[in-house]
Amino acid sequence: MTIIGLAKGLRDSAFGIYLVKTETQVNGATLLIVEDDPAMLVAFRDILEGNGFVVSTATNGTDALVALQEENPALIMSDISMPGMDGIELYKAVRQRPNGAAIPFIFVTARGTREDIFAAKALGVDDYITKPVTSRELLAAVRARLQRSDEIMLVQLKAVLRAMANAIEARAGEYTLRHVEAVNAYSQALGLELEWDQDDLESLEFGAILHDVGKIGVPEKVLSKTGPLNEDEWAEMRMHTIYGAHMIEGNPYLDSALPVVRHHHERWDGGGYPDQLAGEDIPIGARLLAIADTFHAMTSDRPYRAALSAQEAFEEILSQSEQQFDPAMVEAFERCWHRGDIAKIHKSVQSIAVDDSMITTA
Ligand SMILES: [Fe+2]
């Protein structure tokens, strides 16, 4: 996947975080096989298609480059010796393309001398398989490369989104120092306490990173106002949940965070926004994040009031059980508190925020 932009037409449907999806999922990924031996090409294609991959083929480097103008394969598997453009030249050409640098590239070749392997690895090729190759070896190599590629993309995506979210938060002034990181840390502690699985924790992380991203649509004079907001300003502020949801909807990687982004200001008693959902109608991730978000907001200095102590904020969360918050979430938070998890995160968030303000004011 590649991030190509954050459009800023905020009052219309054109704004959003746009990602180009290059089929990086391990299952069902599109692969390009480049091989001049017809029997070998058919054999590779059959093995890979038989295991759920979508396969396109080319018989030399030149044809492969033509195919790359039409599609974004998740992986390229190429022979080296081919008529016309060989595998080495193809590899170099692919790496020079704007979207070619990140595509895993595997050589599958009969040329298996030490020098050949060394030359291929020196070029930076991701893997090198020598023929004859079993279907098991082939599948293992392809899956390992796709898996690794997905992991790297995910780390990069999170880093870019986090930087973007922090930049948006920074418009609201110093209170938001490390807000995204803090909310994520508290949320993950709660998710682990509730024994959420890896996929749900991942969605929660995207929710924590993006929960306030819609603030990009809220005027800066409202975000950074030091006094209490008037009714019109509150109306503007409440829109951040809707802007944020619009920004990520329809995005294959971020869709799972949408319920958190839209509903993190709903209240258990139905008095929240934007949709006045109540009780278990509020998506579970949003019920969880609401506690993490509120706890960090209360324990942070605001322009018009000093931070509450962690103890005071904890008591405030307890007092809002069944009003603002899901009682089951409050109980989970209480268990994390008594185990010392919350205090530990609070301490590390405070020390990072102090470091940041020293850097900012230096
Ligand atoms: Fe928010």
Side-chain angles (χ1 to χ4, degrees), residues 266-345:
E266 306 284 3
R267 291 172 55 103
W268 183 256
D269 61 13
Y273 65 91
D275 299 316
Q276 289 79 49
L277 299 182
E280 291 187 353
D281 286 344
I282 305 167
I284 193 165
R287 280 183 263 150
L288 187 157
L289 190 115
I291 292 184
D293 189 24
T294 307
F295 184 82
H296 183 245
M298 288 193 294
T299 52
S300 303
D301 282 325
R302 306 297 285 268
Y304 47 89
R305 62 142 179 81
L308 299 186
S309 70
Q311 179 70 40
E312 289 167 327
F314 169 63
E315 286 165 13
E316 185 62 25
I317 298 281
L318 295 194
S319 76
Q320 286 296 318
S321 181
E322 291 188 75
Q323 297 174 58
Q324 187 174 352
F325 304 121
D326 176 352
M329 290 295 168
V330 173
E331 279 173 25
F333 188 73
E334 205 175 350
R335 292 196 295 276
C336 292
W337 174 270
H338 289 304
R339 238 196 347 259
D341 296 352
I342 303 299
K344 212 179 288 172
I345 297 168

Side-chain angles (χ1 to χ4, degrees), residues 5-16:
L6 169 67
K8 237 186 118 183
L10 293 167
R11 306 288 164 155
D12 57 56
S13 58
F15 68 87

